[in-house]
């Protein structure tokens, strides 16, 4: 049979970036877990590349915060958080929008987004080894984590952590 001329030629919609959420982010690390408290990241970086040892060896949940305006979109508005080697829980303007744990690191924020003054919070969780590596270089009484056995040494490679981005707003353009 001959394909219909009315059917779309592609199976998926095209995504188009409408606004990058670049620049600085406030990031809050839990001090009880060895974090430095609130820190400003001028750009998104891997925690293992941060100059503060409390960030490099942090294990737990850190909250990224940013205020942004949303340009007018002709379709749904999607938040794409780029790359993250862990889990991310997204809140926008007080609305819980879900947890991202695999690619694509993107979700629909149309119902919660406003034209101006959007309050975005992204809770990022990483894995435990970075804390164990950092603790292995400390005297026992200064260690934060505890385990019966750890394969990690002070010179063990750290695992990539944090919100790596790029973070951007996108829209979906359906093919007709």
């Amino acid at each position: 049979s001959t394909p219909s001329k009315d059917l779309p030629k592609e199976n998926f919609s095209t995504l188009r970036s409408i606004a990058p959420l670049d620049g600085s982010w406030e990031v809050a690390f839990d001090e009880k877990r060895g974090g430095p408290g609130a820190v400003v990241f001028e750009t998104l970086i891997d925690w293992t590349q941060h100059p503060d040892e409390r960030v490099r060896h942090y294990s737990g949940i850190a909250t990224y915060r940013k205020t942004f305006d949303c340009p007018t979109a002709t379709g749904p508005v999607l938040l794409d958080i780029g790359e993250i080697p862990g889990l991310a829980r997204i809140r926008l303007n007080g609305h819980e929008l879900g947890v991202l744990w695999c690619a694509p690191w993107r979700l629909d924020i149309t119902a919660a987004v406003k034209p101006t003054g959007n309050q975005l919070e992204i809770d990022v969780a990483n894995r435990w080894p970075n804390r164990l590596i950092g603790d292995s270089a400390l005297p026992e009484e200064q260690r934060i984590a505890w385990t019966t056995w750890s394969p990690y040494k002070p010179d063990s490679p750290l695992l990539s952590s944090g919100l790596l981005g790029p973070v951007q707003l996108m829209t979906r353009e359906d093919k007709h």
Side-chain angles (χ1 to χ4, degrees):
S1 88
T2 306
S4 170
K5 292 181 183 180
D6 297 332
L7 293 176
K9 293 186 183 346
E10 297 181 26
N11 289 334
F12 301 101
S13 301
T14 300
L15 296 178
R16 179 175 58 87
S17 178
I18 58 174
L21 298 186
D22 49 11
S24 65
W25 290 76
E26 180 185 302
V27 186
F29 293 88
D30 187 346
E31 292 178 79
K32 292 178 193 160
R33 294 189 173 270
V39 177
V40 174
F41 281 25
E42 294 303 324
T43 59
L44 294 175
I45 62 167
D46 188 318
W47 296 350
T48 66
Q49 303 305 309
H50 197 276
D52 189 331
E53 201 169 290
R54 296 171 298 171
V55 173
R56 281 197 313 276
H57 293 122
Y58 184 81
S59 289
I61 297 172
T63 302
Y64 287 72
R65 291 184 176 90
K66 183 178 233 9
T67 300
F68 70 91
D69 296 337
C70 181
T72 303
T74 56
V77 179
L78 308 172
L79 175 68
D80 186 313
I81 63 170
E83 183 184 343
I84 177 172
L87 300 171
R89 183 175 70 188
I90 314 294
R91 287 182 305 286
L92 180 61
N93 300 322
H95 300 277
E96 289 280 345
L97 298 181
V99 174
L100 298 174
W101 57 275
C102 66
W105 304 94
R106 168 184 324 127
L107 50 75
D108 190 325
I109 63 170
T110 307
V113 74
K114 308 180 297 189
T116 60
N118 291 285
Q119 301 290 318
L120 176 62
E121 293 183 311
I122 304 175
D123 293 334
V124 173
N126 72 338
R127 295 169 284 171
W128 199 25
N130 292 354
R131 175 76 270 149
L132 295 175
I133 293 166
D135 281 359
S136 69
L138 298 174
E140 199 168 309
E141 65 276 1
Q142 293 178 9
R143 294 178 183 177
I144 295 166
W146 180 88
T147 182
T148 57
W149 180 79
S150 174
Y152 303 106
K153 308 292 178 229
D155 62 346
S156 295
L158 297 172
L159 301 179
S160 181
S161 296
L163 178 58
L164 306 179
V167 179
Q168 60 185 324
L169 301 179
M170 304 185 87
T171 191
R172 185 178 307 128
E173 297 174 342
D174 292 326
K175 300 286 184 179
H176 295 293

